[in-house]
Amino acid sequence: MLSQHSLRYAFVLLLAVCSTGLTSVSVSGQDSASLSGRITDSAGAAIPVATVTAAGAGITRSTLTDQSGRYQLLELPIGRYEIHTSKAGFANETRAGISLAVGQSVTVDIQMQLRTSDACASGHEFATTDCALTWHGITLYGAYDVGVGWVSHGLPENGYNYEGASLVNRNGYQHRFLIAPNNLQQTGLGIRGKEEFRPGWSVVFNASSGINPQSGLLANASATQTINNGLPRASYSYAIDGARAGQPFNDEIYGGISSAHFGALTFGRQRSLGTDAMLVYDPAGGGYAFSYIGYNGTMAGGGDTENSRWDSAVKYRLPFGPVHFGAMYKFADGNGGCYSASATWTAATCTPESAHNNAYGFDLGGNSSKFSADAVFQHYNQAISVLNPLLGPQSPTQPYQSTTNSINTNPITGPNLIGTTNTVYGIVTDNSAIMGAVKYTWDPFKFFGGYEYIWQNNPANPLGVGASDQGGYIMSGVEDNNLDSEKLVQIWWAGAKYTYRSKTDMTFSWYQQRQNTFRVPPTCSIEAGFRSSCAGTLNEGSLYADHHFTKRFDSFAGIAYSWVSGGLAIAIPHGPGVPYNSNNNLAPTVGSRFTF
């Protein structure tokens, strides 16, 4: 039995321990801090039941967001923390370098991006959801898009005509029904992969190609030109220009490294920064049937449609919270051909040229709640624009365009240096462009707008006859001195998309392109005869509805109307007295699309 002295000693000891414990709790409370914030998606909507984890100062603490997307972590020890967020259907996000001081309450809001769909687990899931065909980190994807249309002023199709015929065409002359390919999306196949090799670091790659759904041929704009070489204008089928020129991977093929903290660095054939922005900020999403800036890549390529994709290019992308940054550089490649500034020159007197077709660009953008915006700058040297098939014996002016090196009319004496079979004729310029675009979501509406200013000059380094073009095609005719003064091009667009009951989108879009007079002296009047170097405008408006029966299958119907005026209503060869056969085109289209 304990003595009274022993009981008194035990009671004092218990008080001391309790006092020490209370003091410890009090100090701990004074030495702690708290974290709170809101988790939202890219449109600013709350993400409930997302997991938020704070790791640092020797502890790891997790919580879930409430219905408003808000979270709170109390009584965290002071120190530096990383915050990780996760939610099914969204890509994980991390915010590092967050310092907590004594008694501090820090707010950290995080925006999460939708994640690439989970891999398909069954055939039923593939048919009813948007799951991905992924195996060991490698995903097969693609689309098939085809329809029927009518044009008020069009041309016959050919097996390489991978785009629709909605836009007014300089050689179009008759109304006709036609098969309309790739209306909302390019038909094609691709394979991409992302494989983590250490925490937060992955190897990435992508390879994709466009196909003409009627013929099965690879998308090839250059071939639409060469199959019309030497034919009279009235015998042309559709001839277009573009970056897809029959390459095995005519869209993209690249590989690189991706980091959760430091962004992604890739190298290869890649879409330009302008093309990336166009696909985000175009109301019609770059669909050929209803979008001028999708059908014609002048805006996306920063002055020429062939530059919507860059070969031998390195691209860097870095997201940082709601802000993102991009940079891109293209290395010079290909053959510069043979050139001479002499008034008369031959194969023996021309000088071999080196390609100087390097390019660079930058992108800065961000998201704030339901608003997003981007600004893009691009510069491209020795940009090539192929405007028309080579003239042939039927031409009333000359046997072949390729007998003239440039607009300064320095003829090549003797036979053509390069045979005209399967070759192209192009205009060469150095291009710079700056573009700004915005998008605002106000459910169930989305509003879009953008503007680009392009300035073009004669190339600082000329290309010669025999220079290489997209897809390995050779130029048998080159214009290096096409501009008497700087050519200025302006493009702007606006539109809105309304979503009805989550499955039907109705989209209205408006596009306009303007150019200045860049030939001196100007011959820009009815009396003098307009030239293609005169000021002019091109306009296109479109309206269409797109209904999704499933996540993969949708059908659409709509109409586009386009018209040209001034110098943009002059055909090639550029007059005077060579107007478009028709200065407008009305093009209704219906079709369906399947994606995977």
Side-chain angles (χ1 to χ4, degrees), residues 183-392:
N183 300 282
L184 298 184
Q185 187 174 347
Q186 171 71 56
T187 298
L189 291 170
I191 185 170
R192 61 173 177 257
K194 183 176 183 180
E195 186 67 28
E196 190 173 62
F197 62 90
R198 58 170 296 178
W201 290 86
S202 301
V203 173
V204 296
F205 71 89
N206 182 45
S208 57
S209 197
I211 303 168
N212 186 331
Q214 299 107 297
S215 65
L217 295 171
L218 291 171
N220 194 334
S222 298
T224 68
Q225 301 279 338
T226 59
I227 64 173
N228 285 293
N229 282 351
L231 297 179
R233 197 173 165 209
S235 299
Y236 285 170
S237 57
Y238 272 105
I240 58 176
D241 190 18
R244 300 179 188 265
Q247 304 95 329
F249 299 101
N250 54 63
D251 182 17
E252 295 185 293
I253 177 167
Y254 64 81
I257 300 289
S258 175
S259 166
H261 301 292
F262 301 104
L265 182 69
T266 51
F267 177 79
R269 175 176 169 84
Q270 303 181 74
R271 294 173 182 171
S272 69
L273 296 176
T275 302
D276 290 340
M278 179 272 292
L279 294 172
V280 173
Y281 292 100
D282 178 12
Y288 299 150
F290 307 109
S291 166
Y292 168 66
I293 60 177
Y295 183 98
N296 185 316
T298 298
M299 168 262 157
D304 275 314
T305 187
E306 288 196 13
N307 303 332
S308 59
R309 288 157 181 83
W310 295 4
D311 288 333
S312 303
V314 60
K315 181 190 285 187
Y316 177 64
R317 288 284 195 183
L318 175 65
F320 188 77
V323 178
H324 56 260
F325 170 77
M328 195 169 181
Y329 182 82
K330 178 191 180 302
F331 295 91
D333 59 357
N335 178 22
C338 182
Y339 174 81
S340 174
S342 172
T344 58
W345 57 289
T346 66
T349 61
C350 70
T351 303
E353 297 293 321
S354 298
H356 295 85
N357 56 346
N358 61 316
Y360 55 87
F362 303 96
D363 171 42
L364 181 63
N367 305 291
S368 177
S369 185
K370 300 180 179 181
F371 178 82
S372 62
D374 272 81
V376 178
F377 172 81
Q378 298 183 111
H379 177 82
Y380 200 107
N381 295 314
Q382 292 182 335
I384 298 171
S385 177
V386 176
L387 296 179
N388 215 56
L390 291 169
L391 297 180

Side-chain angles (χ1 to χ4, degrees), residues 444-489:
F445 292 94
K446 292 180 180 177
F447 300 96
F448 305 81
Y451 171 80
E452 184 171 53
Y453 187 86
I454 303 166
W455 53 104
Q456 300 176 309
N457 289 278
N458 293 324
N461 297 284
L463 284 178
V465 173
S468 55
D469 192 17
Q470 286 271 5
Y473 281 87
I474 299 300
M475 300 173 67
S476 59
V478 182
E479 293 187 23
D480 289 299
N481 192 25
N482 183 260
L483 311 178
D484 291 335
S485 61
E486 190 172 52
K487 181 180 178 181
L488 304 175
V489 178

Side-chain angles (χ1 to χ4, degrees), residues 9 49 216 404 432 585:
Y9 176 79
V49 202
T404 298
S432 296
N585 190 40

